[in-house]
Amino acid sequence: MNSRKRLLIVDDNKSIHEDIKKILAINLVNLEIDKFEELLFDEKKETKTSSIDFVIDDAYQGEEALQKVEDAFKESFPYSLIFMDVRMPPGIDGIKTIHRIWDQHPNIEMVICTAYSDYSWDEIMEKFGFTDQLLFIKKPFDAISLKQITYSLTTKWEIGQKNKEYMAYLESEVEKRTAELKKLLEYMRILKEKAEESDRLKSSFLSNMSHEIRSPMTAILGFSSLLEETDLSKEKKSQFISYINNSGLNLLQIINDIIDISKIEAQQLKLYMSACQLNLILLELKDVFEQQIALSKKNIQLILKNDVFENKLKIYTDPLRLKQVFFNLVDNAIKFTSKGSIELGYAIENELIIFYVKDTGIGISNDKKDIIFERFGQADDLFFKNAKGTGLGLAISKNLIEVMGGHIWLESELNVGTTFYFSLPYQLISEDIIIEPKIVSPNSESSLNNKRILIAEDEEINFVYFNELFSLKKIQSDWVKNGQEALDKLSSENNYDLVLMDIKMPVMDGVEAMQKIKQLHRKTPPIIAQTAFALIEEKENYLALGFDDYISKPINIDELFILLHKWLSPSY
Ligand code: ADP
């Protein structure tokens, strides 16, 4: 703030201006003397007024005063004190002038200078209401009181200004803090809502999951006990078996989803990236999609755009996980579409390949577009009652795509349809590193005739299953219940062509048994680990431990025979 104070003298009488200036100038003269004494005696003189320095302006009429007050305000050097005459003909009188000044600038201190009392104190107070900003001084002026009044009032004005500024600062601080608090409250509210939503989703997940697991279990248990009925027709039997089979697959899918989501949460999801030919990956899915659509008995057409299955584009990806994403999107598209089409295609943009799966289904409302990517998030609880699902598929897909360096999003219109897009980084890959899977027909089993397989398996039911399956294909199989028995059997008989070794077994587990067998015998048949399907990374460990190969449990028959051909057919 300017340390100088600005004063205005408003009087139609010029000599009053000079009188006031002269009185106030005495002080300036004193200040000069003080400075001189300081120089002479080299000692600092304490003067209370030394910091006050006045700029004094003149106005001779009320209107002129009003103008000067405005100008000073615009110059950011406002008046702190005005000496105001009362009668200033022909213009407005001092009282009116003060009124109008205070309308705009209520903080200016006023001293009314009057030769005789035009208005009494009471009259004036009545006009202005009670105020401490107004003083009377009678002409002729007493120099000391005029000076004192000037210093006190300008200091009072200054304190008032500082106070005002401080208040403004406090207000802005309070505003700032209030805004911060509001933000914090909003953040807390969102957190609270999220926590409540997550609780709600978790409990609805539990009840959904319990329903999801119990339904196929009920079908498996129910239809398998019905199979025991002796007088069932052949058609009925095969119908029941297909129910059991489908329910088993559903159950497996749910278990895989739960394991995947747990791995994602534990940040243990690993990808197995390799150079792949896109159409080979998609080719495998095409049959599955067509079969799914046929099974759904819905009037849905599968449309494949941009030769998605013919183009030999190569990408670097985890083929299993890519299939999983496609599978999930198409599965949902079928689930949520009653008629129309499901279209698959892709576009290439810069370094990205953007796939899409477009359906003509029920659509997803705007407010649900984010929720469905969250774990257990489903767009419509009511719809869920009619459609199967855990609410995990999209959460898993989103995570898989992001780990592979891509993005997933959607466009949708209610009752028109939904398009899911996902992008993946796309690199051109040279031909020589393409690993194309060899397709072996599972039906060419003649080369497997009379082969002997040792099955190390503690669960009798699993052995019975293998035994039934192998005898259909004329393969001989023997059963041992644990690793120790496998070791003993291979020491006493050396004509096995292959060993299927379970990992978890009592007495001696599969890993220890395999290692001991390999230590004891220079030449052993291939030893294949049977591993839990979901734990893909463990499979790699088994190879590192010394197994020749691995097969996922539950066993997929096609995979099993591809594996048997690989190890047992000389032509492979
Ligand atoms: P699930 O299908 O097992 O419920 P997802 O995570 O795969 O779990 O999907 C979450 C939800 O997203 C679904 O329950 C459904 O409400 C909605 N959704 C997904 N795909 C579609 C689609 N193509 N059309 C309409 N709604 C969909």
Side-chain angles (χ1 to χ4, degrees), residues 328 332 335-336 359 364 372 377-379 389-394 418 420:
N328 185 251
N332 278 343
K335 200 156 63 176
F336 298 104
D359 66 49
I364 298 166
I372 57 167
Q378 286 170 325
T390 55
L392 293 177
L394 284 177
T418 306
F420 278 92

Side-chain angles (χ1 to χ4, degrees), residues 346-490:
Y346 65 80
I348 292 188
E349 273 179 28
N350 304 326
E351 314 247 288
L352 291 177
I353 177 159
I354 299 172
F355 295 98
Y356 68 83
V357 176
K358 179 177 180 181
D359 66 49
T360 54
I362 59 168
I364 298 166
S365 61
N366 275 339
D367 57 326
K368 302 286 183 189
K369 281 180 181 164
D370 291 331
I371 294 176
I372 57 167
F373 287 108
E374 286 174 18
R375 279 165 294 144
F376 325 132
Q378 286 170 325
D380 189 343
D381 288 346
L382 284 176
F383 191 82
F384 172 76
K385 295 205 170 88
N386 304 319
K388 287 189 176 301
T390 55
L392 293 177
L394 284 177
I396 295 170
S397 300
K398 180 171 188 284
N399 197 278
L400 288 175
I401 291 164
E402 284 171 2
V403 179
M404 288 195 269
H407 224 70
I408 183 165
W409 69 98
L410 68 97
E411 282 169 10
S412 186
E413 203 178 322
L414 278 179
N415 304 319
V416 175
T418 306
T419 309
F420 278 92
Y421 297 90
F422 67 97
S423 63
L424 286 181
Y426 146 75
Q427 297 168 7
L428 276 180
I429 294 158
S430 65
E431 287 293 335
D432 50 345
I433 59 165
I434 304 294
I435 309 148
E436 295 191 8
K438 265 193 181 173
I439 310 285
V440 179
S441 161
N443 296 326
S444 59
E445 68 265 355
S446 59
S447 55
L448 300 177
N449 280 0
N450 299 322
K451 296 287 181 196
R452 285 194 75 195
I453 296 180
L454 181 65
I455 297 165
E457 170 65 70
D458 59 330
E459 294 285 348
E460 182 171 5
I461 180 121
N462 288 348
F463 168 69
V464 173
Y465 168 70
F466 278 126
N467 191 258
E468 288 294 326
L469 183 68
F470 289 159
S471 52
L472 282 175
K473 312 279 179 188
K474 301 197 175 61
I475 299 170
Q476 295 176 40
S477 56
D478 288 333
W479 179 34
V480 287
K481 291 183 194 144
N482 60 52
Q484 184 62 52
E485 285 184 16
L487 185 62
D488 297 345
K489 190 84 173 166
L490 286 172

Side-chain angles (χ1 to χ4, degrees), residues 7-11 16 20 24 56 81-85 109-113 137 141 146 149-150:
L7 313 180
L8 180 65
I9 303 169
V10 190
D11 203 308
I16 293 292
I20 295 176
L24 293 180
I56 304 176
L81 170 64
I82 297 177
F83 293 99
M84 182 71 74
D85 188 18
E109 301 288 329
M110 294 286 175
V111 175
I112 294 183
C113 314
I137 181 161
F141 304 127
L146 185 84
I149 284 170
T150 308

Side-chain angles (χ1 to χ4, degrees), residues 141-159:
F141 304 127
D142 170 70
I144 304 244
S145 27
L146 185 84
K147 263 177 19 177
Q148 277 179 344
I149 284 170
T150 308
Y151 294 137
S152 337
L153 292 185
T154 50
T155 308
K156 176 171 171 256
W157 176 85
E158 186 176 29
I159 292 170

